């Protein structure tokens, strides 16, 4: 059985990029609630799915190392160009040359995919320098929380993952996204006891059986939002609509996303920031609201019990004015620094927040179209549901590829 790659076993199966920890810290970037597909599979080694491939990432002081696993019969790299017993010498040479050329093309494509996903063209050190200049509070955190970089995720995966965040916490969202992929996504590979799946296609998510399937898997009211949003996108806009929002202005993209079931202002801003190239989008949840009041003396909305659209926009405008065009990136640093799981990184008692925010508290705001439910049904008949859902997903994926 295939194993998760570890750098200590030798670098011959790894590729690398020059990248210092001031530009990227994997343990912060991949675990701060941007993406829910990455898990630490060995100390300092993070394995996840991106672009239909399974990756393990790790880093040394000035180098980012990455390994991409073979995905036989899938979209990742698998056996290709093999020779047959009856081939002549010239045919074997030709197939060998073709295989080498394909491997070079795969290597170049995967490096570009990783650069794009991590947005390595953005000079994070320069941004930190600017934010420290204009913001004394950021200056206190900058040396501790270096390398918090925004990911550029697939818009479909980002949108439907964040629909799951309503009244939820990071570990539970990860579990939901895992179950979503296991039941509706295409299988990619198995490493040790862990099976990896691609994120479901829009067609798979829009199937009429999906809501009942996901309710049985513990998604509660979110099940309907996931299925209805996928169906609305396909019926009204088409497969390329979400990616097309990358080319429209921020407010236009945000308003377009908010027409979808289960998508309020906070979820729309997360999708804009983390997948649609809107670096000035500032998602505002209870963490950011508390930070604004506690650390920046932000007084508007005082006495309010929930975050309204007006308050959300006001806090966003406040931070955009302070931090500039990459305000959403700066916000992610403060959000990361406020999570309980990272408090141990703060070196002195004076750096401890006045009131720690539990990572297990909600990170998602309730959609304006939902009611808070105090209890949801957990999975029942899970094995039967998984089989039915997975069969539907395979048919949907096949149909989408045929189209």
């Amino acid at each position: 059985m295939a194993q998760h790659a570890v750098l200590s076993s030798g670098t011959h199966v790894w590729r690398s990029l020059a990248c210092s920890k001031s530009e990227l810290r994997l343990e912060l970037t991949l675990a701060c609630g941007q993406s829910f597909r990455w898990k630490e599979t060995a100390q300092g080694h993070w394995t996840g799915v991106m672009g239909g491939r399974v990756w393990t990432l790790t880093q040394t002081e000035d180098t980012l190392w990455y390994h991409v696993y073979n995905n036989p019969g899938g979209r990742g790299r698998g056996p290709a160009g093999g020779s047959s017993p009856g081939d002549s010498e010239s045919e074997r040479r030709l197939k060998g040359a073709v295989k080498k050329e394909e491997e070079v093309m795969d290597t170049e494509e995967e490096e570009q995919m990783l650069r794009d996903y991590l947005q390595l063209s953005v000079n994070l050190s320069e941004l930190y320098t600017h934010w420290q200049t204009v913001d004394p509070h950021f200056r206190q955190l900058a040396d501790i929380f270096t390398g918090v970089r925004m990911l550029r995720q697939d818009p479909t995966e980002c949108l439907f993952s964040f629909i799951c965040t309503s009244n939820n916490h990071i570990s539970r969202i990860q579990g939901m996204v895992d179950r979503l992929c296991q039941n509706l996504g295409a299988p990619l590979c198995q490493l040790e006891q862990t099976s990896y799946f691609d994120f479901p296609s829009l067609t798979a998510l829009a199937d009429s059986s999906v809501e009942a399937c996901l309710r049985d898997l513990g998604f509660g009211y979110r099940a309907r939002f996931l299925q209805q949003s996928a169906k609305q996108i396909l019926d009204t806009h088409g497969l390329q609509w979400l990616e097309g929002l990358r080319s429209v202005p921020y407010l236009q993209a945000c308003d377009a996303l908010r027409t979808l079931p289960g998508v309020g202002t906070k979820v729309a801003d997360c999708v804009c920031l983390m997948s649609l190239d809107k670096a000035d989008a500032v998602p505002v949840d209870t963490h950011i609201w508390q930070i604004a009041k506690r650390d920046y003396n932000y007084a508007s909305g005082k006495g309010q019990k929930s975050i309204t659209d007006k308050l959300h926009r006001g806090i966003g405008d406040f931070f955009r004015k302070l931090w500039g065009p990459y305000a959403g990136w700066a916000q992610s640093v403060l959000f990361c620094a406020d999570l309980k799981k990272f408090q141990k990184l703060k070196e002195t008692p004076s750096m401890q927040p006045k009131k720690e925010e539990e990572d297990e508290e909600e990170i998602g705001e309730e959609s304006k179209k939902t009611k808070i439910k105090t209890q949801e049904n957990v999975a029942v008949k899970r094995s039967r549901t998984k089989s039915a859902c997975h069969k539907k997903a395979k048919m949907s994926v096949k149909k989408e590829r045929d189209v």
Side-chain angles (χ1 to χ4, degrees):
M1 185 179 293
Q3 304 289 307
H4 289 96
V6 289
L7 192 61
S8 59
S9 296
T11 60
H12 60 285
V13 297
W14 294 81
R15 283 175 272 152
S16 64
L17 296 172
C19 183
S20 68
K21 288 189 176 181
S22 63
E23 287 295 315
L24 170 68
R25 280 173 65 189
L26 293 174
E27 76 276 16
L28 299 181
T29 300
L30 299 181
C32 69
Q34 291 187 57
S35 170
F36 306 100
R37 303 300 306 279
W38 296 92
K39 292 183 174 65
E40 192 172 21
T41 48
Q43 186 172 4
H45 292 65
W46 295 83
T47 302
V49 177
M50 184 267 289
R53 293 162 167 84
V54 181
W55 307 66
T56 293
L57 309 179
T58 190
Q59 61 187 147
T60 49
E61 198 61 38
D62 296 308
T63 305
L64 172 65
W65 298 87
Y66 63 101
H67 176 78
V68 186
Y69 298 88
N70 283 341
N71 174 24
R75 287 160 58 192
R77 292 184 294 115
S83 58
S84 303
D87 289 346
S88 66
E89 180 64 25
S90 61
E91 287 174 326
R92 284 196 294 269
R93 287 179 180 175
L94 177 60
K95 287 186 176 180
V98 169
K99 184 176 180 180
K100 284 184 178 180
E101 187 174 334
E102 289 175 344
E103 288 174 349
V104 170
M105 291 175 64
D106 282 337
T107 298
E108 292 175 351
E109 179 187 10
E110 286 159 0
E111 178 177 327
Q112 186 53 46
M113 286 174 65
L114 187 59
R115 288 184 178 276
D116 180 74
Y117 183 70
L118 297 173
Q119 304 198 74
L120 294 180
S121 61
V122 177
N123 189 318
L124 192 60
S125 298
E126 288 185 0
L127 290 178
Y128 267 65
T129 298
H130 169 68
W131 296 329
Q132 289 180 79
T133 301
V134 300
D135 182 352
H137 178 67
F138 189 95
R139 192 181 309 132
Q140 290 181 293
L141 299 169
D143 289 341
I144 303 169
F145 293 92
T146 58
V148 180
R149 177 172 287 276
M150 291 306 307
L151 304 174
R152 188 178 193 250
Q153 300 178 57
D154 172 76
T156 297
E157 178 173 335
C158 188
L159 170 63
F160 289 90
S161 294
F162 272 92
I163 288 176
C164 296
T165 65
S166 175
N167 292 309
N168 225 338
H169 55 75
I170 291 175
S171 61
R172 188 161 181 261
I173 298 163
Q174 286 176 329
M176 282 186 168
V177 173
D178 282 347
R179 295 196 296 277
L180 188 68
C181 296
Q182 289 164 9
N183 286 276
L184 298 174
L188 296 175
C189 71
Q190 183 171 346
L191 302 173
E192 298 166 40
Q193 303 303 315
T194 304
S195 295
Y196 291 90
F197 298 82
D198 204 358
F199 199 84
S201 66
L202 278 172
T203 305
L205 288 163
D207 191 275
S208 59
S209 67
V210 164
E211 180 180 348
C213 168
L214 295 182
R215 282 189 182 275
D216 284 342
L217 292 170
F219 281 68
Y221 60 82
R222 304 172 191 87
R224 179 165 57 91
F225 292 148
L226 290 163
Q227 190 272 335
Q228 288 187 348
S229 287
K231 188 175 187 303
Q232 182 171 313
I233 290 171
L234 290 180
D235 290 349
T236 308
H237 305 290
L239 285 169
Q240 304 304 315
W241 178 69
L242 276 174
E243 194 161 333
L245 293 179
R246 285 176 166 169
S247 61
V248 306
Y250 158 52
L251 291 179
Q252 184 180 337
C254 186
D255 289 343
L257 291 169
R258 291 180 65 199
T259 65
L260 299 172
V263 179
T265 305
K266 184 259 179 177
V267 169
D269 267 351
C270 286
V271 178
C272 283
L273 174 64
M274 300 171 192
S275 69
L276 298 181
D277 303 333
K278 317 305 180 195
D280 57 338
V282 179
V284 177
D285 65 357
T286 54
H287 283 274
I288 298 303
W289 188 17
Q290 292 301 320
I291 289 169
K293 292 189 293 184
R294 183 188 70 215
D295 301 321
Y296 293 88
N297 297 316
Y298 186 82
S300 296
K302 192 172 183 180
Q304 289 184 206
K305 295 182 178 179
S306 62
I307 301 173
T308 62
D309 287 345
K310 181 180 179 181
L311 180 59
H312 189 121
R313 183 59 52 83
I315 294 173
D317 288 343
F318 171 80
F319 284 126
R320 278 184 281 271
K321 183 178 179 181
L322 176 64
W323 293 323
Y326 279 82
W329 287 53
Q331 175 263 14
S332 71
V333 179
L334 296 194
F335 181 88
C336 182
D338 205 53
L339 292 174
K340 185 181 179 182
K341 67 168 76 174
F342 297 130
Q343 295 308 302
K344 63 183 181 295
L345 299 177
K346 295 179 177 179
E347 299 172 342
T348 64
S350 62
M351 286 299 297
Q352 292 294 333
K354 295 175 185 176
K355 181 181 179 182
E356 288 186 344
E357 296 290 339
E358 295 284 344
D359 180 26
E360 295 302 308
E361 292 179 359
E362 297 169 2
I363 71 164
E365 291 300 315
E366 175 67 285
S367 165
K368 61 182 179 181
K369 303 172 187 176
T370 69
K371 289 182 178 180
I372 297 176
K373 292 192 176 182
T374 58
Q375 191 173 15
E376 295 174 350
N377 294 330
V378 295
V380 295
K381 306 177 185 177
R382 188 163 292 180
S383 60
R384 186 175 66 188
T385 302
K386 180 174 180 179
S387 176
C389 290
H390 202 58
K391 185 175 180 181
K392 285 273 190 182
K394 284 185 176 179
M395 292 173 64
S396 299
V397 171
K398 184 177 186 300
K399 188 183 296 182
E400 190 166 298
R401 285 177 177 170
D402 290 342
V403 173

